[in-house]
Amino acid sequence: MLDMKFLRENLDEAERRLATRGGAGFLDGFRELDSKRLALLRESETLKALRNKVSDEIAGIKDKSQAQDKIVEMRTVSQRIKAMDEELKQVDEELQGILLTVPNLPDPSTPIGASESENVEIRSWGVPPAFGFAAKEHWDIGEQLGILDFERGAKLTGARFTLYRGAGARLERALISFMLDLHTEQHGYVEVLPPFMVNRDSMTGTGQLPKFEEDLFKMQDPEYFLIPTAEVPVTNIHRGEILKRNDLPVCYAAYTPCFRREAGSYGKDTRGLIRQHQFNKVELVKFSHPAESEAELEKLTANAEKVLQLLDLPYRVMALCSGDIGFSAAKTYDIEVWLPGQNCYREISSCSNFGDFQARRAGIRFREEEKSKPEFVHTINGSGLAVGRTVVAILENYQQEDGSVFVPAALRPYMGGLERIV
RNA sequence: GGAGAGAUGGCCGAGUAGGUCGAAGGCGCUCGCCUGCUAAGCGAGUAUACUGGGAAACCGGUAUCGAGGGUUCGAAUCCCUCUCUCUCCGCCA
């Protein structure tokens, strides 16, 4: 959510910066609703002040029959207040409706661009392997090895669900442990294991709601949502809290499954593990001092890259342009891993700085000094990494001509010493 | 699922015949004094949001005692609904 007071004074600037995302009219109606709200608020509060004052006077009058005039007068005042507050509530809701659906302002360092094609490569690491044979795609490799069973996944649930078995299941579990160990032991994150379902307030806090409900799996009665990313429960850990300055940055690493409807992506990545309704992810989340968030995003991105480096998987880092960053993000780096079977780079991690956008929605603050006013923290998060897609990358990059797949050396301790999946 | 108890400020904890309660008291914390050091002691201060004025320091208004409604001139205190927590029984990983 953007700061109302900032918008009041910088509406043109805000609209100009929002326009770089594509689309327009995000803030239509803000000006009128805001001034209407202020007018109603002032009037209502003036009347309440009067009522409070007269009520005190009534309290001081021993003989209530002497107070009848005032009581009758205040009865009218109370009715006016009630009517006014109802109108105010409506205006407030409309205003919130706008504010909650306006995306974040792109950071000044975010490249301006209309779409994915204008993202900017920042750096790359590793060399795509050269094969003396035609590289296969991971679904063929996985099915032939009997470690990925897409047909049975579809039988059990439906499209975009997969059954892992044997070394495949073990590989998924090994990667989760490997990543969590790395981030907690080497990078200083505290491991957390949050609920996989959250309520509406949590989804609103990080920005999935109210605008993107169709992307979520929703439970009825009680109304809970399956998390689309650990970002949601982990960021909301500190919703409504004031953090200690000295505890910043607060850094969490969490493994969770993620559930996404993938509405609107029919026909895209229909085969294989790339786009599933349920997938596993290890997520990194930071609560940072505003002045440090830029540097913390760089560190978090480097932490995610480290996973790929240790697995010896080639990748590149892209700065997403203004037209491609997510709703809540001010700045995003995507890490794209090389997939020989598909002969292209595919996103395996997305690391973003949200500035105070989520913190304002979720009320996550800190005090610079013991006595100073609370300020909003900045939130940062990124995948470290998407586990299913890491399996894809390993299968495709470590495949052999005979169809077997080597296990990356760093992973072998987590695979019971297994060197090769045959 | 059945029966009961409870939700108050950073924490603990008063406050039920409705009024001067943003809320006693204690702890914690901050500043000052005192003290050879530490402990103790003394004094002052110590919620948040919105809003009006002010360059600012700051001053004023409104709201907030789990959440949302209601009664009333006036509610932490009365009524209704919901949520959460705890205890006992049942069930269960």
Side-chain angles (χ1 to χ4, degrees):
Chain A
M1 193 159 62
L2 300 179
D3 182 5
M4 261 210 284
K5 288 174 190 164
F6 173 83
L7 291 179
R8 223 172 259 164
E9 276 147 38
N10 306 278
L11 198 60
D12 293 343
E13 184 198 335
E15 283 181 326
R16 195 168 57 245
R17 288 171 66 185
L18 287 172
T20 67
R21 284 175 166 274
F26 290 111
L27 289 163
D28 286 356
F30 172 80
R31 190 83 84 188
E32 302 88 290
L33 282 169
D34 181 53
S35 52
K36 194 170 171 190
R37 170 180 168 274
L38 280 181
L40 282 166
L41 191 64
R42 281 178 204 142
E43 205 174 340
S44 161
E45 291 194 345
T46 305
L47 288 175
K48 283 176 185 170
L50 172 68
R51 182 178 67 183
N52 287 344
K53 181 167 150 278
V54 176
S55 286
D56 278 354
E57 290 168 12
I58 293 171
I61 297 173
K62 291 285 188 294
D63 179 0
K64 293 305 181 213
S65 65
Q66 300 291 309
Q68 273 313 304
D69 292 359
K70 291 177 192 288
I71 288 176
V72 169
E73 189 192 342
M74 285 309 105
R75 196 171 291 162
T76 317
V77 169
S78 274
Q79 281 164 4
R80 285 182 61 198
I81 290 173
K82 195 176 169 187
M84 204 161 283
D85 278 353
E86 264 162 38
E87 199 182 345
L88 183 61
K89 193 178 164 189
Q90 274 198 331
V91 171
D92 242 333
E93 276 167 12
E94 281 181 61
L95 200 54
Q96 286 298 310
I98 290 179
L99 289 174
L100 286 173
T101 52
V102 175
N104 200 357
L105 299 178
D107 187 83
S109 67
T110 288
I112 306 292
S115 73
E116 197 180 336
S117 62
E118 291 176 74
N119 294 344
V120 176
E121 180 173 327
I122 302 296
R123 60 183 166 271
S124 65
W125 184 93
V127 182
F131 293 103
F133 56 93
K136 285 186 284 202
E137 308 203 69
H138 72 277
W139 51 80
D140 287 332
I141 302 167
E143 279 178 334
Q144 279 162 27
L145 288 172
I147 60 174
L148 296 179
D149 188 338
F150 299 103
E151 280 184 28
R152 287 203 177 91
K155 176 170 75 177
L156 293 174
T157 311
R160 300 199 193 282
F161 286 89
T162 301
L163 171 70
Y164 290 64
R165 75 195 305 156
R170 178 81 187 255
L171 182 60
E172 184 91 3
R173 177 161 60 92
L175 281 167
I176 293 165
S177 293
F178 170 68
M179 292 177 194
L180 280 175
D181 285 354
L182 174 69
H183 296 311
T184 57
E185 292 167 15
Q186 309 294 319
H187 298 155
Y189 292 79
V190 173
E191 183 172 348
V192 291
L193 183 64
F196 302 157
M197 292 183 223
V198 299
N199 57 31
R200 182 168 283 274
D201 284 346
S202 293
M203 283 294 183
T204 306
T206 33
Q208 280 72 22
L209 291 179
K211 210 171 178 179
F212 305 104
E213 187 155 345
E214 71 278 6
D215 293 334
L216 300 169
F217 285 106
K218 178 167 144 184
M219 324 298 292
Q220 309 278 352
D221 197 27
E223 185 194 63
Y224 290 155
F225 298 86
L226 289 174
I227 58 171
T229 160
E231 161 191 345
V232 178
V234 177
T235 304
N236 278 282
I237 288 174
H238 295 300
R239 171 152 48 88
E241 295 183 10
I242 298 177
L243 303 173
K244 295 212 172 11
R245 169 68 181 100
N246 290 336
D247 290 341
L248 301 182
V250 174
C251 304
Y252 293 122
Y255 152 72
T256 72
C258 305
F259 303 91
R260 298 184 183 179
R261 292 277 299 277
E262 294 297 346
S265 60
Y266 310 109
K268 273 167 79 179
D269 303 312
T270 51
R271 298 194 69 183
L273 288 178
I274 292 290
R275 194 174 298 276
Q276 300 272 290
H277 286 309
Q278 174 188 323
F279 63 96
N280 294 308
K281 184 154 61 73
V282 170
E283 184 77 1
L284 306 174
V285 176
K286 292 187 181 189
F287 301 82
S288 157
H289 188 285
E292 295 158 2
S293 68
E294 203 175 324
E296 292 298 338
L297 173 64
E298 298 300 324
K299 279 161 71 178
L300 183 143
T301 307
N303 296 152
E305 286 175 57
K306 188 72 181 175
V307 177
L308 291 170
Q309 291 169 10
L310 291 171
L311 295 174
D312 203 20
L313 293 168
Y315 67 85
R316 64 181 187 181
V317 177
M318 307 292 288
L320 298 197
C321 73
S322 55
D324 202 29
I325 55 174
F327 176 79
S328 300
K331 178 176 187 173
T332 299
Y333 292 122
D334 269 8
I335 302 176
E336 300 182 341
V337 69
W338 175 254
L339 297 183
Q342 302 196 4
N343 197 41
C344 66
Y345 285 96
R346 290 301 300 258
E347 175 188 342
I348 196 169
S349 171
S350 192
C351 304
S352 303
N353 186 353
F354 300 88
D356 62 10
F357 187 85
Q358 293 181 325
R360 180 172 290 106
R361 284 177 164 245
I364 309 169
R365 297 174 293 176
F366 77 102
R367 287 181 214 276
E368 185 70 58
E369 305 285 345
E370 190 86 28
K371 288 192 173 175
S372 48
K373 276 185 102 60
E375 304 169 51
F376 292 113
V377 301
H378 281 191
T379 55
I380 298 151
N381 68 57
S383 358
L385 305 164
V387 180
R389 289 189 179 183
T390 308
V391 168
V392 170
I394 288 172
L395 294 182
E396 295 199 6
N397 281 278
Y398 282 84
Q399 63 179 304
Q400 305 300 307
E401 189 162 15
D402 65 2
S404 67
V405 172
F406 275 105
V407 176
L411 223 47
R412 289 176 193 167
Y414 292 90
M415 293 287 289
L418 186 70
E419 294 181 5
R420 188 173 189 166
I421 302 171
V422 292

